[in-house]
Amino acid sequence: MSARGAPASSPHALARVVGVHGRHSVIETADGTRMLAHGRGKKSEVIVGDHVRWQVSGDEGVIESFEPRTSLLKRQDEWRSKNFAANIDLLLIMVATDPPYSESQLARALIAAEDGRIAVKIVLNKIDLPEAAAARERLAPYRRMGYDVLEVAVKTDPAGTRAVFDPLLEGKTTLVLGPSGMGKSTLVNLLVPHADAQVGEISKALKSGKHTTTTTTWYWLDDDRRSALIDSPGFQEFGIHHIKSAELGSLMLDYGMYLGDCKFANCTHRHEPSCGVRAAIARGDISPSRERIYEELMGELERAASRH
Ligand SMILES: Nc1nc2c(ncn2[C@@H]2O[C@H](COP(=O)(O)OP(=O)(O)OP(=O)(O)O)[C@@H](O)[C@H]2O)c(=O)[nH]1
Ligand SMILES: [Mg+2]
Ligand SMILES: [Zn+2]
Protein backbone atom coordinates (compact mmCIF):
# COMPACT_ATOMS: atom_id res chain seq x y z
CA MET A 1 0.00 0.00 0.00
CA SER A 2 1.29 3.47 -0.74
CA ALA A 3 1.77 6.07 1.97
CA ARG A 4 -1.00 8.19 0.50
CA GLY A 5 -3.63 5.53 0.98
CA ALA A 6 -4.16 4.64 -2.66
CA PRO A 7 -3.24 1.05 -3.38
CA ALA A 8 0.21 0.96 -4.90
CA SER A 9 -1.03 -1.90 -7.01
CA SER A 10 -3.79 0.07 -8.73
CA PRO A 11 -3.65 -0.52 -12.49
CA HIS A 12 -1.08 1.63 -14.23
CA ALA A 13 0.41 3.25 -11.15
CA LEU A 14 3.69 5.07 -11.74
CA ALA A 15 7.03 3.66 -10.67
CA ARG A 16 10.66 4.26 -11.44
CA VAL A 17 13.08 1.70 -12.83
CA VAL A 18 16.08 1.47 -10.46
CA GLY A 19 17.78 -1.63 -11.85
CA VAL A 20 17.64 -3.92 -14.86
CA HIS A 21 18.81 -7.55 -14.80
CA GLY A 22 18.25 -9.25 -18.10
CA ARG A 23 14.52 -9.55 -18.64
CA HIS A 24 13.71 -8.37 -15.13
CA SER A 25 13.67 -4.89 -13.74
CA VAL A 26 13.64 -3.62 -10.20
CA ILE A 27 11.06 -0.89 -9.88
CA GLU A 28 10.48 1.52 -7.03
CA THR A 29 6.92 2.52 -6.33
CA ALA A 30 5.73 5.91 -5.13
CA ASP A 31 6.19 4.99 -1.46
CA GLY A 32 9.73 3.74 -2.00
CA THR A 33 8.99 0.01 -2.10
CA ARG A 34 11.25 -1.93 -4.45
CA MET A 35 10.05 -5.01 -6.29
CA LEU A 36 10.83 -7.15 -9.28
CA ALA A 37 8.90 -6.46 -12.47
CA HIS A 38 8.92 -7.70 -16.01
CA GLY A 39 7.69 -6.23 -19.26
CA ARG A 40 5.05 -7.55 -21.58
CA GLY A 41 6.58 -9.01 -24.71
CA LYS A 42 9.97 -8.20 -26.11
CA LYS A 43 9.36 -4.57 -26.91
CA SER A 44 9.46 -3.31 -23.36
CA GLU A 45 13.12 -2.38 -23.20
CA VAL A 46 13.06 -0.24 -20.11
CA ILE A 47 16.25 1.20 -18.67
CA VAL A 48 17.28 2.65 -15.34
CA GLY A 49 15.64 6.01 -14.77
CA ASP A 50 12.55 5.20 -16.81
CA HIS A 51 9.16 6.15 -15.40
CA VAL A 52 6.85 3.22 -16.01
CA ARG A 53 3.17 2.36 -15.63
CA TRP A 54 2.74 -0.97 -13.93
CA GLN A 55 0.41 -3.29 -12.10
CA VAL A 56 0.69 -6.27 -9.80
CA SER A 57 0.82 -9.80 -11.15
CA GLY A 58 1.33 -12.43 -8.46
CA ASP A 59 4.21 -11.27 -6.32
CA GLU A 60 5.80 -9.34 -9.18
CA GLY A 61 4.98 -6.24 -11.14
CA VAL A 62 4.14 -6.09 -14.81
CA ILE A 63 5.31 -3.05 -16.74
CA GLU A 64 2.55 -1.92 -19.07
CA SER A 65 4.15 1.13 -20.66
CA PHE A 66 6.75 3.77 -20.08
CA GLU A 67 6.48 7.53 -20.04
CA PRO A 68 8.27 9.75 -22.58
CA ARG A 69 11.93 10.28 -21.66
CA THR A 70 13.24 13.78 -20.99
CA SER A 71 16.77 12.66 -21.82
CA LEU A 72 18.46 9.54 -23.06
CA LEU A 73 22.12 8.65 -23.09
CA LYS A 74 23.00 5.92 -25.55
CA ARG A 75 25.82 4.36 -27.45
CA GLN A 76 25.72 2.34 -30.63
CA ASP A 77 28.30 0.24 -32.41
CA GLU A 78 28.20 -1.90 -35.51
CA TRP A 79 26.12 -4.61 -33.90
CA ARG A 80 23.96 -3.15 -31.24
CA SER A 81 22.70 -0.11 -29.50
CA LYS A 82 22.72 0.29 -25.74
CA ASN A 83 20.87 2.81 -23.64
CA PHE A 84 22.64 3.78 -20.42
CA ALA A 85 19.96 5.63 -18.50
CA ALA A 86 16.92 7.83 -19.01
CA ASN A 87 15.77 11.10 -17.49
CA ILE A 88 19.11 12.13 -16.02
CA ASP A 89 19.94 15.77 -15.24
CA LEU A 90 23.70 15.50 -15.05
CA LEU A 91 26.33 13.18 -16.45
CA LEU A 92 29.67 12.76 -14.72
CA ILE A 93 32.30 11.19 -16.94
CA MET A 94 34.93 9.83 -14.60
CA VAL A 95 38.50 9.23 -15.66
CA ALA A 96 41.50 8.61 -13.44
CA THR A 97 45.18 9.39 -13.39
CA ASP A 98 45.81 5.64 -13.26
CA PRO A 99 45.03 3.27 -14.93
CA PRO A 100 45.37 5.48 -18.00
CA TYR A 101 42.15 6.12 -19.89
CA SER A 102 41.56 6.39 -23.60
CA GLU A 103 41.03 10.00 -24.69
CA SER A 104 39.05 8.73 -27.66
CA GLN A 105 36.56 7.04 -25.32
CA LEU A 106 36.24 10.21 -23.26
CA ALA A 107 35.62 12.23 -26.42
CA ARG A 108 32.94 9.77 -27.56
CA ALA A 109 31.09 9.91 -24.26
CA LEU A 110 31.12 13.71 -24.42
CA ILE A 111 29.73 13.61 -27.96
CA ALA A 112 26.92 11.30 -26.85
CA ALA A 113 26.11 13.66 -23.99
CA GLU A 114 26.00 16.68 -26.31
CA ASP A 115 23.80 14.73 -28.71
CA GLY A 116 21.47 13.76 -25.85
CA ARG A 117 21.49 17.39 -24.60
CA ILE A 118 22.64 16.27 -21.17
CA ALA A 119 24.66 18.56 -18.89
CA VAL A 120 28.05 16.97 -18.42
CA LYS A 121 31.13 17.37 -16.25
CA ILE A 122 34.43 15.53 -16.37
CA VAL A 123 35.75 14.08 -13.11
CA LEU A 124 39.47 13.42 -12.81
CA ASN A 125 39.91 10.99 -9.92
CA LYS A 126 43.00 9.72 -8.06
CA ILE A 127 44.90 13.00 -8.12
CA ASP A 128 46.81 11.61 -5.13
CA LEU A 129 48.88 9.53 -7.58
CA PRO A 130 52.10 10.75 -9.25
CA GLU A 131 50.45 10.54 -12.70
CA ALA A 132 48.21 13.50 -11.80
CA ALA A 133 50.21 16.16 -13.63
CA ALA A 134 50.22 14.23 -16.91
CA ALA A 135 46.51 13.45 -16.64
CA ARG A 136 45.71 17.09 -15.95
CA GLU A 137 47.69 18.09 -19.01
CA ARG A 138 45.80 15.63 -21.24
CA LEU A 139 42.53 17.23 -20.15
CA ALA A 140 43.66 20.77 -21.00
CA PRO A 141 41.85 20.80 -24.39
CA TYR A 142 38.63 19.84 -22.64
CA ARG A 143 38.91 22.66 -20.12
CA ARG A 144 39.62 25.06 -23.00
CA MET A 145 36.47 24.04 -24.84
CA GLY A 146 34.44 24.80 -21.75
CA TYR A 147 34.01 21.56 -19.80
CA ASP A 148 34.29 21.67 -16.03
CA VAL A 149 36.95 19.25 -14.85
CA LEU A 150 36.47 18.31 -11.21
CA GLU A 151 39.67 17.00 -9.63
CA VAL A 152 39.23 14.65 -6.71
CA ALA A 153 40.82 11.80 -4.80
CA VAL A 154 37.73 9.91 -3.74
CA LYS A 155 39.59 7.32 -1.69
CA THR A 156 42.32 9.39 -0.07
CA ASP A 157 40.44 12.67 0.37
CA PRO A 158 36.80 11.81 1.14
CA ALA A 159 36.10 15.15 2.83
CA GLY A 160 37.37 17.14 -0.14
CA THR A 161 35.36 14.90 -2.48
CA ARG A 162 32.17 15.45 -0.50
CA ALA A 163 32.74 19.20 -0.60
CA VAL A 164 32.79 19.00 -4.40
CA PHE A 165 29.83 16.69 -4.91
CA ASP A 166 27.36 17.38 -2.10
CA PRO A 167 26.26 20.77 -3.48
CA LEU A 168 26.56 19.69 -7.11
CA LEU A 169 24.31 16.63 -6.88
CA GLU A 170 21.64 18.24 -4.70
CA GLY A 171 18.16 17.76 -6.18
CA LYS A 172 19.42 16.11 -9.36
CA THR A 173 19.57 12.69 -10.95
CA THR A 174 23.20 12.09 -11.85
CA LEU A 175 24.75 9.24 -13.82
CA VAL A 176 28.39 8.30 -13.23
CA LEU A 177 29.97 6.88 -16.36
CA GLY A 178 33.50 5.97 -17.28
CA PRO A 179 35.95 3.20 -18.14
CA SER A 180 36.52 0.39 -15.64
CA GLY A 181 38.65 1.01 -12.58
CA MET A 182 38.30 4.80 -12.48
CA GLY A 183 36.59 4.89 -9.06
CA LYS A 184 32.89 5.26 -9.89
CA SER A 185 31.69 2.77 -7.29
CA THR A 186 34.12 4.18 -4.74
CA LEU A 187 32.38 7.52 -5.21
CA VAL A 188 28.95 5.93 -4.88
CA ASN A 189 29.99 4.19 -1.67
CA LEU A 190 31.29 7.44 -0.24
CA LEU A 191 28.21 9.50 -1.04
CA VAL A 192 25.41 6.98 -0.60
CA PRO A 193 24.52 5.85 2.89
CA HIS A 194 24.29 2.03 3.02
CA ALA A 195 25.20 1.68 -0.66
CA ASP A 196 26.82 -1.65 0.09
CA ALA A 197 23.59 -3.00 1.51
CA GLN A 198 21.69 -1.93 -1.60
CA VAL A 199 24.29 -3.46 -3.88
CA GLY A 200 24.08 -6.72 -1.95
CA GLU A 201 20.31 -6.70 -2.07
CA ILE A 202 19.99 -6.29 -5.81
CA SER A 203 22.95 -7.91 -7.47
CA LYS A 204 24.40 -10.48 -5.08
CA ALA A 205 23.58 -13.31 -7.47
CA LEU A 206 25.20 -11.50 -10.38
CA LYS A 207 28.40 -10.52 -8.63
CA SER A 208 31.49 -12.03 -10.13
CA GLY A 209 34.77 -12.66 -8.32
CA LYS A 210 36.11 -9.28 -9.36
CA HIS A 211 34.61 -6.20 -7.77
CA THR A 212 33.70 -4.68 -11.05
CA THR A 213 30.23 -3.23 -11.47
CA THR A 214 28.04 -5.34 -13.73
CA THR A 215 24.72 -3.54 -13.68
CA THR A 216 23.49 0.02 -13.73
CA THR A 217 21.95 0.82 -10.37
CA TRP A 218 20.04 3.75 -8.94
CA TYR A 219 20.91 5.03 -5.43
CA TRP A 220 19.27 7.73 -3.36
CA LEU A 221 21.62 10.24 -1.77
CA ASP A 222 19.05 11.46 0.74
CA ASP A 223 16.15 10.10 2.76
CA ASP A 224 13.76 12.49 0.99
CA ARG A 225 14.62 10.76 -2.31
CA ARG A 226 15.33 14.01 -4.12
CA SER A 227 18.92 13.46 -5.21
CA ALA A 228 20.00 10.31 -6.98
CA LEU A 229 23.29 8.86 -8.15
CA ILE A 230 23.42 6.08 -10.74
CA ASP A 231 26.42 3.75 -10.81
CA SER A 232 27.21 2.03 -14.10
CA PRO A 233 29.53 -0.71 -15.36
CA GLY A 234 32.78 0.54 -16.89
CA PHE A 235 32.68 0.82 -20.66
CA GLN A 236 35.46 -0.20 -23.01
CA GLU A 237 34.21 0.82 -26.41
CA PHE A 238 31.83 3.72 -26.77
CA GLY A 239 30.30 3.49 -30.25
CA ILE A 240 28.61 6.60 -31.60
CA HIS A 241 27.14 5.18 -34.80
CA HIS A 242 23.85 6.92 -34.01
CA ILE A 243 25.53 10.26 -34.79
CA LYS A 244 25.40 11.62 -38.34
CA SER A 245 28.85 12.46 -39.71
CA ALA A 246 27.64 15.91 -40.75
CA GLU A 247 26.78 16.64 -37.09
CA LEU A 248 30.06 15.48 -35.62
CA GLY A 249 31.78 18.86 -35.87
CA SER A 250 29.09 20.67 -33.93
CA LEU A 251 29.07 18.00 -31.20
CA MET A 252 32.84 18.36 -30.67
CA LEU A 253 32.82 21.71 -28.95
CA ASP A 254 36.31 22.86 -29.99
CA TYR A 255 35.44 22.16 -33.63
CA GLY A 256 32.05 23.76 -33.03
CA MET A 257 33.66 27.07 -32.08
CA TYR A 258 35.09 27.54 -35.58
CA LEU A 259 32.35 26.15 -37.83
CA GLY A 260 31.10 29.66 -38.55
CA ASP A 261 34.46 30.46 -40.16
CA CYS A 262 34.17 27.71 -42.79
CA LYS A 263 33.39 28.91 -46.30
CA PHE A 264 31.19 25.93 -47.14
CA ALA A 265 28.18 25.01 -45.04
CA ASN A 266 28.82 21.31 -45.67
CA CYS A 267 32.55 21.56 -44.93
CA THR A 268 34.00 18.31 -43.58
CA HIS A 269 37.07 20.18 -42.23
CA ARG A 270 39.48 17.85 -43.97
CA HIS A 271 40.50 19.25 -47.32
CA GLU A 272 38.12 22.09 -48.21
CA PRO A 273 39.58 25.56 -48.83
CA SER A 274 38.83 28.39 -46.39
CA CYS A 275 38.05 26.03 -43.54
CA GLY A 276 37.84 27.74 -40.14
CA VAL A 277 38.59 24.50 -38.31
CA ARG A 278 41.76 23.77 -40.30
CA ALA A 279 42.89 27.34 -39.67
CA ALA A 280 42.34 26.82 -35.92
CA ILE A 281 44.33 23.57 -36.08
CA ALA A 282 47.16 25.36 -37.90
CA ARG A 283 47.21 28.09 -35.23
CA GLY A 284 47.29 25.45 -32.46
CA ASP A 285 43.86 26.44 -31.13
CA ILE A 286 42.60 22.88 -31.66
CA SER A 287 44.96 20.24 -30.30
CA PRO A 288 46.47 17.48 -32.49
CA SER A 289 44.84 14.79 -30.31
CA ARG A 290 41.42 16.24 -31.06
CA GLU A 291 42.14 16.33 -34.78
CA ARG A 292 43.14 12.66 -34.62
CA ILE A 293 39.93 11.80 -32.78
CA TYR A 294 37.81 13.69 -35.30
CA GLU A 295 39.48 11.84 -38.21
CA GLU A 296 39.01 8.51 -36.46
CA LEU A 297 35.33 9.17 -35.78
CA MET A 298 34.59 10.55 -39.26
CA GLY A 299 36.13 7.43 -40.78
CA GLU A 300 34.02 5.25 -38.53
CA LEU A 301 30.78 7.09 -39.19
CA GLU A 302 31.32 7.13 -42.96
CA ARG A 303 32.03 3.40 -43.00
CA ALA A 304 28.92 2.81 -40.89
CA ALA A 305 26.78 4.95 -43.23
CA SER A 306 28.06 3.13 -46.32
CA ARG A 307 26.95 -0.20 -44.86
CA HIS A 308 23.32 0.89 -44.55
N1 LIG B 1 44.84 5.94 -5.40
C1 LIG B 1 43.51 6.02 -5.47
N2 LIG B 1 42.79 4.92 -5.75
C2 LIG B 1 41.45 5.05 -5.83
C3 LIG B 1 40.79 6.29 -5.66
N3 LIG B 1 39.48 6.11 -5.83
C4 LIG B 1 39.30 4.82 -6.11
N4 LIG B 1 40.47 4.15 -6.12
C5 LIG B 1 40.70 2.71 -6.37
O1 LIG B 1 40.45 2.40 -7.73
C6 LIG B 1 40.01 1.06 -7.87
C7 LIG B 1 38.77 0.96 -8.74
O2 LIG B 1 37.70 1.57 -8.07
P1 LIG B 1 36.16 1.28 -8.43
O3 LIG B 1 35.36 2.25 -7.64
O4 LIG B 1 35.84 -0.16 -8.29
O5 LIG B 1 36.15 1.65 -9.98
P2 LIG B 1 34.90 1.62 -10.98
O6 LIG B 1 35.04 2.83 -11.84
O7 LIG B 1 33.63 1.48 -10.24
O8 LIG B 1 35.20 0.31 -11.86
P3 LIG B 1 34.13 -0.63 -12.66
O9 LIG B 1 33.04 -0.99 -11.72
O10 LIG B 1 34.96 -1.80 -13.09
O11 LIG B 1 33.65 0.16 -13.82
C8 LIG B 1 39.79 0.56 -6.45
O12 LIG B 1 40.89 -0.23 -6.08
C9 LIG B 1 39.73 1.82 -5.63
O13 LIG B 1 40.14 1.63 -4.31
C10 LIG B 1 41.61 7.44 -5.34
O14 LIG B 1 41.14 8.56 -5.14
N5 LIG B 1 42.95 7.25 -5.28
MG1 LIG C 1 32.11 0.09 -10.33
ZN1 LIG D 1 35.65 23.46 -42.18
Side-chain angles (χ1 to χ4, degrees):
M1 298 292 271
S2 87
R4 289 176 197 86
S9 58
S10 68
H12 312 301
L14 262 181
R16 185 193 321 261
V17 176
V18 293
V20 175
H21 308 280
R23 286 173 53 251
H24 279 87
S25 312
V26 180
I27 60 171
E28 185 178 288
T29 61
D31 66 358
T33 307
R34 291 190 175 198
M35 66 188 296
L36 275 180
H38 57 272
R40 282 201 197 281
K42 280 195 166 170
K43 275 189 168 173
S44 51
E45 287 236 332
V46 296
I47 52 174
V48 170
D50 263 328
H51 298 288
V52 296
R53 299 274 171 189
W54 71 286
Q55 58 182 317
V56 161
S57 164
D59 52 7
E60 284 195 6
V62 177
I63 295 169
E64 299 289 350
S65 63
F66 62 92
E67 304 287 288
R69 294 161 174 161
T70 59
S71 74
L72 176 64
L73 186 75
K74 64 186 272 185
R75 68 180 201 216
Q76 190 178 324
D77 62 24
E78 213 173 307
W79 301 279
R80 63 186 200 128
S81 138
K82 179 180 167 16
N83 295 327
F84 287 102
N87 304 317
I88 61 172
D89 304 310
L90 175 65
L91 173 65
L92 297 177
I93 302 176
M94 187 180 262
V95 295
T97 57
D98 188 73
Y101 62 90
S102 149
E103 185 184 340
S104 166
Q105 302 306 324
L106 167 65
R108 290 156 182 264
L110 288 168
I111 289 164
E114 297 298 336
D115 178 60
R117 295 195 178 77
I118 297 164
V120 56
K121 292 184 192 295
I122 298 168
V123 178
L124 174 62
N125 187 27
K126 311 194 195 181
I127 56 163
D128 54 295
L129 297 177
E131 293 84 356
R136 192 173 285 132
E137 180 60 28
R138 285 179 80 202
L139 288 173
Y142 297 86
R143 287 186 200 269
R144 273 205 302 278
M145 69 184 91
Y147 289 111
D148 282 342
V149 179
L150 310 174
E151 296 194 359
V152 290
V154 179
K155 190 164 130 186
T156 57
D157 181 17
T161 304
R162 287 207 79 116
V164 169
F165 287 108
D166 283 347
L168 181 65
L169 307 187
E170 167 73 29
K172 296 191 190 83
T173 295
T174 303
L175 170 66
V176 194
L177 199 72
S180 192
M182 301 289 111
K184 300 180 296 297
S185 298
T186 308
L187 179 68
V188 169
N189 282 330
L190 172 69
L191 299 180
V192 179
H194 320 301
D196 276 331
Q198 287 188 38
V199 168
E201 185 189 312
I202 289 165
S203 64
K204 200 169 269 169
L206 298 162
K207 243 183 181 167
S208 61
K210 286 198 306 178
H211 291 287
T212 194
T213 305
T214 54
T215 59
T216 301
T217 303
W218 177 290
Y219 297 98
W220 289 113
L221 292 163
D222 51 351
D223 290 342
D224 299 342
R225 294 189 288 136
R226 288 183 57 248
S227 314
L229 191 57
I230 303 172
D231 192 10
S232 68
F235 63 77
Q236 274 186 326
E237 290 295 327
F238 200 116
I240 56 163
H241 287 203
H242 55 295
I243 308 286
K244 291 192 180 66
S245 59
E247 286 166 10
L248 184 61
S250 62
L251 298 172
M252 292 178 63
L253 300 192
D254 42 0
Y255 272 59
M257 281 188 240
Y258 302 102
L259 298 183
D261 301 340
C262 296
K263 183 173 177 188
F264 302 104
N266 61 352
C267 188
T268 67
H269 326 300
R270 290 194 285 198
H271 29 62
E272 292 87 346
S274 305
C275 168
V277 170
R278 296 231 58 89
I281 291 169
R283 286 195 307 272
D285 290 342
I286 292 177
S287 78
S289 69
R290 293 286 292 174
E291 184 191 5
R292 268 198 308 278
I293 288 169
Y294 177 84
E295 295 298 332
E296 165 193 314
L297 293 176
M298 275 302 261
E300 235 177 85
L301 297 183
E302 285 170 350
R303 280 194 299 280
S306 70
R307 271 195 298 269
H308 296 303

